[in-house]
Amino acid sequence: MKSFFIKCALALASLVFTIYLFSTGSWGWGIVFTLVTAFIGVFFFRHERVIMAFYHMRLGNQDKAKIHFDKITAPQFLPKKQQAYVLYMQAIFNSQENGLQKTEQQLRKALAMGLRADHDNAIARMHLASICAQTGRRPEATQLLAEAKKMDKGGMLKEQISMLQGQMKMMPSKNQMRMAQMQGGG
């Protein structure tokens, strides 16, 4: 929240100084500070950590991208689309540490807010299907995999989806897991 107030103060100061420069006749510096004000204004719509994280992802440095996503402590103050992507990426990067339940909650929330790209929707649904299969909810996992297959228009996830479907055939259902627990005395 402090960063928001700092952004507001910088934007306001930059805007006032730009107007002052134009009013005193310093057109050259006024134009330069117009660009500076526009640059500061961009950060109202894009969080700097999100920009840096996607930059590192584009370079292929997943570890640095994870660090930037983890430093976003209050994603609820971001615009909805950015909040959806932050939750989506935090769920994927931190799935090992957070556990299945928190990862599932983050992915469902990200899908509810709306991810722009179809392949991101497909990946999120595929991860959810994997979680559902691991917890014994096979019908829901099958439905999510079918949705992921529809959204994967480029065929990037075709191999992963077919592999997950093969694994689901070998996994026991929720009832079979419950019966095994009852017979084992556990």
Side-chain angles (χ1 to χ4, degrees):
M1 201 64 178
K2 284 190 290 186
S3 66
F4 177 73
F5 291 125
I6 292 171
K7 288 178 195 177
C8 287
L10 279 174
L12 185 65
S14 178
L15 182 65
V16 168
F17 190 64
T18 303
I19 292 170
Y20 169 76
L21 287 173
F22 278 120
S23 67
T24 59
S26 300
W27 291 92
W29 284 108
I31 292 171
V32 168
F33 269 89
T34 301
L35 296 174
V36 170
T37 304
F39 182 74
I40 293 171
V42 166
F43 286 114
F44 274 107
F45 304 107
R46 297 281 180 221
H47 194 274
E48 57 272 3
R49 292 274 182 205
V50 174
I51 292 171
M52 290 302 295
F54 281 125
Y55 170 72
H56 286 297
M57 285 183 64
R58 181 166 290 180
L59 293 178
N61 194 342
Q62 304 293 329
D63 295 332
K64 285 189 179 179
K66 180 185 181 305
I67 290 169
H68 283 291
F69 277 121
D70 287 343
K71 285 186 179 178
I72 299 173
T73 56
Q76 64 270 19
F77 295 119
L78 296 173
K80 281 221 186 269
K81 295 294 182 182
Q82 285 186 44
Q83 184 179 355
Y85 272 97
V86 168
L87 289 172
Y88 163 67
M89 295 308 293
Q90 284 178 342
I92 289 177
F93 281 139
N94 298 325
S95 61
Q96 296 293 325
E97 296 93 28
N98 289 345
L100 296 177
Q101 187 176 18
K102 186 171 181 185
T103 302
E104 181 179 0
Q105 288 173 352
Q106 285 180 321
L107 286 172
R108 288 193 188 278
K109 194 170 183 182
L111 285 171
M113 287 181 176
L115 297 171
R116 286 186 196 139
D118 282 340
H119 65 274
D120 290 331
N121 277 304
I123 291 171
R125 281 178 168 69
M126 190 181 74
H127 278 282
L128 274 175
S130 172
I131 291 170
C132 290
Q134 289 176 13
T135 56
R137 297 177 286 167
R138 191 181 292 175
E140 187 178 355
T142 306
Q143 177 190 5
L144 285 166
L145 273 180
E147 292 172 8
K149 196 180 251 187
K150 271 188 222 174
M151 291 183 167
D152 184 30
K153 294 182 173 101
M156 293 181 350
L157 302 172
K158 187 176 183 180
E159 186 177 315
Q160 286 92 344
I161 290 173
S162 63
M163 185 173 68
L164 190 56
Q165 285 174 335
Q167 288 175 352
M168 279 178 44
K169 289 178 184 174
M170 295 186 301
M171 287 182 173
S173 69
K174 199 171 198 173
N175 288 335
Q176 290 171 335
M177 289 175 15
R178 195 174 304 132
M179 288 299 290
Q181 286 177 346
M182 288 171 59
Q183 289 175 354

